Amino acid sequence: RVGERVDEIRQTMVATEATAQVARVLRIRPGSPVLLVTRVSGTAAGHVLQVARSYYRSQGFSYSVHLKR
């Protein structure tokens, strides 16, 4: 939505198997392990602004989080 501000992002990571389509794009065999990252951006009022689904090959993937209070 134009003019609305992102207030919240929820991100989920799931280990799954590559479908034929995902495998073709990533140049791996169907059924190979992949990481699916789904990111949903929304407003304070709960409106969804964007949904992104990204697939990553299992080789070489690294995830790091820095939490500070």
Side-chain angles (χ1 to χ4, degrees):
R1 296 181 175 189
V2 177
E4 290 196 81
R5 180 180 157 165
V6 173
D7 182 68
E8 177 178 80
I9 297 174
R10 291 180 184 237
Q11 182 168 294
T12 305
M13 291 186 284
V14 177
T16 188
E17 295 180 356
T19 63
Q21 181 180 7
V22 169
R24 187 171 48 255
V25 172
L26 296 180
R27 298 181 182 168
I28 57 177
R29 292 183 179 176
S32 295
V34 293
L35 186 65
L36 168 60
V37 178
T38 303
R39 178 181 271 202
V40 180
S41 303
T43 66
H47 298 124
V48 174
L49 299 176
Q50 181 181 43
V51 176
R53 298 182 101 189
S54 303
Y55 291 87
Y56 297 92
R57 297 170 65 151
S58 62
Q59 299 91 348
F61 184 84
S62 175
Y63 179 73
S64 177
V65 177
H66 178 154
L67 303 172
K68 184 176 180 179
R69 178 157 45 190

